Amino acid sequence: LAWAMLAKIAIEQNQLSQAENNIEQALQLSRLGGLGDDLGLEHLILARLRQCQNEMAAAYECLEQAEKYLEAHQSERVANWLAAIRVRLALLNNDLKDAEGGADHYDGQVRTQPVEYLREFEDITLAIVRIAQGRFEAALQIFAPLVDQAHCEKRGWVCLEGHILLSRCEMAEK
């Protein structure tokens, strides 16, 4: 799992070749006897990496692998991340209807819980869908507590992405 988290960090820092090396190491170790939900999470990280590399077909293949592990091991954290990546891929493919379905499901089930850094990717994904829908006030309600908490805890990538998206909302409202 540590190698997978290093891969996730490398993706956030746009160090995609380092992320590739880290996630391959994670997969190799997990295949030697790791937990099933670790394999699911690792395939999600690999899907996110493929998305960042604009390899959409490969990203969808990784999502399918993650779904197989998810079905066998029922992990909520993997399920939420899987849904968020699927929503982002739908947005990249200009499929707002599919993205809305995933976002609405997440919004109704998970977002009722307090803001938590472990769900930032999912919450930001939901806000991006709300922006695509033209629901800027709804996006702002999602971003404001995320950005505030991330700023207090010095999580720069969330602050940066949040401020960019907050600016888009404010510009669109004018």
Side-chain angles (χ1 to χ4, degrees):
L1 186 60
W3 285 106
M5 292 301 102
L6 289 172
K8 188 176 177 191
I9 291 167
I11 291 168
E12 291 168 2
Q13 295 175 343
N14 200 32
Q15 298 174 352
L16 302 184
S17 62
Q18 182 63 46
E20 182 98 33
N21 293 336
N22 291 345
I23 199 60
E24 288 302 324
Q25 183 71 30
L27 286 165
Q28 286 177 2
L29 289 172
S30 289
R31 287 182 187 124
L32 293 174
L35 300 173
D37 67 337
D38 285 352
L39 280 164
L41 181 64
E42 289 158 1
H43 278 88
L44 286 177
I45 293 170
L46 186 56
R48 178 80 172 115
L49 175 62
R50 296 295 180 242
Q51 177 189 6
C52 291
Q53 295 169 328
N54 290 321
E55 297 177 20
M56 298 309 160
Y60 279 112
E61 288 175 20
C62 293
L63 285 178
E64 289 174 17
Q65 288 295 318
E67 284 177 329
K68 289 178 185 175
Y69 291 111
L70 176 63
E71 288 172 9
H73 299 283
Q74 297 298 318
S75 170
E76 184 179 345
R77 72 183 167 125
V78 176
N80 291 336
W81 218 46
L82 172 81
I85 291 173
R86 190 170 294 286
V87 165
R88 287 198 184 200
L89 288 171
L91 288 172
L92 288 172
N93 289 324
N94 295 315
D95 186 352
L96 184 58
K97 185 175 180 177
D98 191 32
E100 287 173 333
D104 291 343
H105 176 76
Y106 176 77
D107 198 17
Q109 299 234 330
V110 179
R111 274 216 70 256
T112 56
Q113 302 167 10
V115 171
E116 183 180 325
Y117 79 95
L118 292 173
R119 291 193 332 263
E120 286 172 341
F121 181 80
E122 295 92 326
D123 288 347
I124 289 171
T125 300
L126 175 61
I128 290 169
V129 171
R130 297 301 179 239
I131 290 170
Q133 293 171 316
R135 295 176 55 194
F136 304 110
E137 186 60 39
L140 288 170
Q141 289 175 358
I142 297 166
F143 279 131
L146 273 177
V147 171
D148 290 345
Q149 184 180 30
H151 180 73
C152 289
E153 296 172 2
K154 301 189 183 340
R155 289 190 315 283
W157 79 270
V158 174
C159 293
L160 179 61
E161 189 168 12
H163 282 295
I164 290 168
L165 294 169
L166 281 168
S167 295
R168 283 187 184 171
C169 289
E170 290 169 359
M171 289 174 55
E173 286 186 323
K174 290 182 181 183

